[in-house]
Amino acid sequence: WTVPGSWTVPGSNCSNRGADCPTSLSVTHPRMCVPGGSYLVTRTTSERRFFLRPDPVIAEVFTYCLFRAANQHGVLVHAVCVESNHFHVVLTDTRGELSECMRWLDRHVALCLIEHHHTAHPGQNLEGIWSKHPFSATLLLTEPAIVDAIVYTLTNPVKDGLVRDYRKWPGVVSRPGDWLKPVRFARRPALYFDQDDDEHREVPARIIIPPQFRDRDPAAFVHDVEAHIREAQRAAATTHRREPGLRQGA
C-alpha cells in the first residue's frame, strides 16, 4: 500500500538485522532520518505467525514497550493497530531516533514474548518472533498523507476482513478520540524486565494529535478523521460483500 504524498525512507528495509535472534547484537545500517518527520511504520512477524494475536498479556507487553521506547527516543505516537502477525504505527520522530526506538521496541517485545511462550509451552523452543525483513518506514510529506495513514492503520482489521468495525477488534488499536483524553499509563509486564525497577513500573502512554494539526480545533479534527474512517469501513464492507465471509486471522 502506498500513501499519497509519501515515500519510503532509503535503507528502512535493512535497519534491524539480528531481530530474529533478539539476544544477538542488532546492526543498523546508515539511513536518512528526518527529525520532526511523520511516518507510517510497519513490522511483521516471522513467517507471518500469530505471535501478536489478541491476548491480554501480549497487549500489555506491546503497549508498554511501544510507549517506553517512544518516550525514551522522542517519538510521538498518533495511531497504532496490532494485528496477529504485524503492526502499524503512525508517529512523529522528533529527534531523528526512529531506528533506535524501533530497535528497542523490537528487542524487548521479542524478549518478553519468548519468555511468555516458554512459560506457556515448556520444552518448546522459540528463538525469535520478527521477520528477517526489518521494519518499513514511510515518510508522510503532506497532511492528507498523514490522515490517510491514520485511517489505514486503524481500519486495518476491517480491510483484512477480521471485523466490520475497527472498534470491535480485540487486539491493540487506538481511536481518534484518544487524542482528547487525559494521559494514560502503561503498566510494566511481569516478564523479562527487572521487577524491582521502580522508575519504570509504568510509563505514560500518550496518543497525540500529529503536530501538523495542532492549530486545528481538536474535537473538529477528531470528527473529520472519524468521518474518513466510516468511509473506509463502508468501502471495505462493499469489497467483502463481493467476497463473503470474514477471515479467521491476519
Side-chain angles (χ1 to χ4, degrees), residues 52 54 58 62 80-84 86-88 157 169 171-173:
L52 301 176
I58 294 172
F62 187 89
V80 56
C81 181
V82 182
E83 288 193 43
S84 295
H86 69 284
F87 68 82
H88 300 293
W169 175 241
V172 175
V173 61

Side-chain angles (χ1 to χ4, degrees), residues 34-109:
V34 181
S38 295
Y39 296 85
L40 169 64
V41 173
T42 301
R43 188 76 161 103
T44 59
T45 60
S46 176
E47 300 175 337
R48 292 276 181 174
R49 295 171 67 184
F50 289 177
F51 291 129
L52 301 176
R53 64 192 178 279
D55 172 273
V57 173
I58 294 172
E60 183 179 59
V61 165
F62 187 89
T63 302
Y64 177 84
C65 290
L66 171 63
F67 286 101
R68 182 165 169 184
N71 295 340
Q72 289 177 176
H73 293 287
V75 167
L76 309 178
V77 177
H78 312 308
V80 56
C81 181
V82 182
E83 288 193 43
S84 295
N85 59 16
H86 69 284
F87 68 82
H88 300 293
V89 182
V90 181
L91 54 81
T92 296
D93 177 16
T94 67
R95 303 201 301 247
E97 298 180 15
L98 179 60
S99 294
E100 292 82 355
C101 177
M102 290 300 298
R103 185 186 304 116
W104 199 99
L105 171 64
D106 287 353
R107 175 178 172 81
H108 289 84
V109 168

